[in-house]
Amino acid sequence: MKKFLNDPVNFVDEMLEGIYKAHPAVTYTANDLRCLVSARTKPGKVGIATGGGSGHLPTFLGFVGEGMLDGAAVGGVFQSPSAEQMYQVTKHIDQGAGVLYIYGNYTGDIINFDMAAELADLDGIVVKQVVGNDDVASSVVGEEHKRRGVAGIFFIYKTAGAAAAEGLPLDEVARLADKARLHTRTMGVALSSCVVPEIGHATFSIGEDEMEIGMGIHGEPGISRKTLAPADAVVDEMMERIFAETDYKSGDNVAVLVNGLGGTPLEELYILFRRVAQLLEARGVTVKHVWIGEFATSMEMAGASISILHLDDELDRLVAAPANTPFFQHIAG
């Protein structure tokens, strides 16, 4: 293991200390570094909270800021934050209009977020939840509730954050967030493993000439492992599964996110996007919004994911809205 760290036990907290020193727009509450919140509040606005394990930066905490999220509970590397941490974040960000939880479909997160919501209810804070499940590789059609939440959660954050910034009530913000969830599909591919600092070795093995289609962001098994193919062929296979689930018609509009998993150069992500755009254009589908870069990583794993959000006028407006967070800036227009 070659990493820039001190004691692996302190990896997450020292990372957070660096973030707070670099980005004064975020701070923490309850005297707990892992209860990250926005330093700015807006009375009467719906609060939006997320949370999850570290190792996926900028997901989850990197999207706390104007036009997106208000707080994030931070777990250890690939570990859920506690219910108490989520509860403390909830209390801090509630501005009288209720709080929306948005997080990925993982058992530990679900249990702890549910417990936090129960604690918040005792304080009179209304909480609603939207659970991201965009990973088409992790379960079949008809059992979408079993699917993992991966990079496509970015679109849910963006939609809900813009809706809350408009001053919409909690029920409406939750409806729009869930609409983004229902319209988002993601497929990923991994080329290498990653190393959790406290473990000190690769979480799985994969051959130098191999790739795994559909692998999860914690190293969960994918749907097939095969010899690494040219980029266009890899994208074709990934997009085939996304196309199989969404009836794209000529004249439809989409937003595209090509996400690096931590160890893939930006140049390669643009090569992947080139093919994604070609496939969509061949179907008469217009790509209205594009984001390419690292949005949901898996430490230093080499690989990428493709997320497609099928737009309507409502989603288009919200995705296009401005946002300003430590790890993501978007200027409307």
Side-chain angles (χ1 to χ4, degrees), residues 225-289:
R225 181 175 291 197
K226 57 186 67 176
T227 301
L228 180 62
D232 285 0
V234 175
V235 172
D236 289 353
E237 182 170 353
M238 296 166 72
M239 289 296 292
E240 181 180 358
R241 292 195 169 256
I242 293 176
F243 285 142
E245 298 204 5
T246 305
D247 184 21
Y248 293 106
K249 299 181 177 66
S250 179
D252 284 354
N253 299 315
V254 298
V256 177
L257 174 70
V258 178
N259 169 65
L261 294 178
T264 299
L266 192 57
E267 290 88 345
E268 294 177 26
L269 299 181
Y270 274 95
I271 290 173
L272 298 178
F273 172 71
R274 163 190 167 275
R275 184 59 174 173
V276 172
Q278 288 174 346
L279 295 175
L280 290 166
E281 289 165 2
R283 291 172 175 257
V285 177
T286 299
V287 179
K288 291 202 68 176
H289 309 283

Side-chain angles (χ1 to χ4, degrees), residues 80-317:
S80 298
S82 71
E84 176 65 20
Q85 288 166 330
M86 192 64 246
Y87 168 60
Q88 294 298 335
V89 169
T90 305
K91 286 200 302 181
H92 184 92
I93 69 173
D94 176 50
Q95 298 296 309
V99 174
L100 176 64
Y101 291 169
I102 302 171
Y103 56 94
N105 191 23
Y106 300 93
T107 301
D109 291 336
I110 292 170
I111 292 171
N112 289 338
F113 277 74
D114 282 349
M115 291 176 61
E118 292 175 2
L119 293 170
D121 182 63
L122 295 174
D123 287 341
I125 301 172
V126 178
V127 172
K128 290 188 174 293
Q129 305 188 47
V130 172
V131 181
N133 61 338
D134 52 302
D135 184 5
V136 302
S138 51
S139 189
V140 298
V141 174
E143 296 187 349
E144 289 88 351
H145 64 284
K146 296 180 180 180
R147 290 180 171 176
R148 301 178 292 240
V150 286
I153 200 171
F154 164 80
F155 289 132
I156 309 177
Y157 291 161
K158 188 73 185 64
T159 300
E166 288 182 354
L168 298 180
L170 178 59
D171 284 348
E172 187 69 356
V173 174
R175 179 188 71 82
L176 290 162
D178 197 54
K179 186 177 188 179
R181 177 190 67 83
L182 289 168
H183 284 73
T184 299
R185 297 291 185 274
T186 299
M187 270 293 294
V189 58
L191 305 183
S192 75
S193 182
C194 61
V195 177
V196 175
E198 289 192 60
I199 296 176
H201 58 77
T203 56
F204 62 90
S205 61
I206 185 169
E208 288 294 323
D209 63 344
E210 290 183 320
M211 63 179 181
E212 184 148 353
I213 301 290
M215 177 170 284
I217 57 175
H218 306 109
E220 301 97 332
I223 55 178
S224 65
R225 181 175 291 197
K226 57 186 67 176
T227 301
L228 180 62
D232 285 0
V234 175
V235 172
D236 289 353
E237 182 170 353
M238 296 166 72
M239 289 296 292
E240 181 180 358
R241 292 195 169 256
I242 293 176
F243 285 142
E245 298 204 5
T246 305
D247 184 21
Y248 293 106
K249 299 181 177 66
S250 179
D252 284 354
N253 299 315
V254 298
V256 177
L257 174 70
V258 178
N259 169 65
L261 294 178
T264 299
L266 192 57
E267 290 88 345
E268 294 177 26
L269 299 181
Y270 274 95
I271 290 173
L272 298 178
F273 172 71
R274 163 190 167 275
R275 184 59 174 173
V276 172
Q278 288 174 346
L279 295 175
L280 290 166
E281 289 165 2
R283 291 172 175 257
V285 177
T286 299
V287 179
K288 291 202 68 176
H289 309 283
V290 179
W291 286 283
I292 300 171
E294 292 183 345
F295 290 78
T297 61
S298 184
M299 296 298 293
E300 72 274 38
M301 184 183 289
S305 63
I306 299 165
S307 299
I308 309 292
L309 171 62
H310 198 179
L311 297 169
D312 61 8
D313 290 344
E314 206 169 35
L315 292 173
D316 187 17
R317 182 189 85 249

